[in-house]
Amino acid sequence: METNNSRLAQLLAFLEDDPHDPFTLYAIATEYRAFDLEKARSFYEKLLTEHPDYVGTYYHVASLYLELGEPDLAKAAYQKGMHVSRQQGQQHAFSELQQAYNKLMGLDYEDD
């Protein structure tokens, strides 16, 4: 945990220097994810509001919503993420989001 605390402290210092850097916000959310889901949620949601084109957010916030028992929010996050990633031509991100969305919706018909 000590390593995480020093990394988190460093990221929070970066955020003070540049409060609008999407990567720093994303990294902080990811750090908090390990031990404070509500704090992680607040940083992911800040990203969604301030940087809706930051594609990396959608998969992780949807996963967090599922962990918090909020499948409707997860569904909406996957859908928005698929839309944004498609607009940006980020096919790999789109594919990952679509696969997770299909699984959530019970549409993953993979043959074993």
Side-chain angles (χ1 to χ4, degrees), residues 35-55:
F35 63 93
D36 188 335
L37 297 181
E38 287 303 324
K39 274 271 211 207
R41 177 185 187 147
S42 71
F43 278 94
Y44 283 131
E45 289 179 347
K46 183 175 173 69
L47 269 165
L48 293 175
T49 302
E50 295 180 7
H51 305 281
D53 291 341
Y54 197 77
V55 172

Side-chain angles (χ1 to χ4, degrees), residues 35-101:
F35 63 93
D36 188 335
L37 297 181
E38 287 303 324
K39 274 271 211 207
R41 177 185 187 147
S42 71
F43 278 94
Y44 283 131
E45 289 179 347
K46 183 175 173 69
L47 269 165
L48 293 175
T49 302
E50 295 180 7
H51 305 281
D53 291 341
Y54 197 77
V55 172
T57 307
Y58 292 95
Y59 182 90
H60 295 284
V61 76
S63 169
L64 178 63
Y65 287 148
L66 288 174
E67 198 172 329
L68 292 170
E70 301 189 51
D72 291 343
L73 289 176
K75 177 182 169 186
Y78 285 136
Q79 289 172 330
K80 173 79 178 187
M82 287 187 291
H83 176 75
V84 171
S85 60
R86 181 177 276 155
Q87 278 185 321
Q88 293 183 8
Q90 294 193 32
Q91 194 55 42
H92 182 75
F94 175 82
S95 176
E96 286 185 339
L97 287 159
Q98 186 174 46
Q99 199 170 10
Y101 174 79

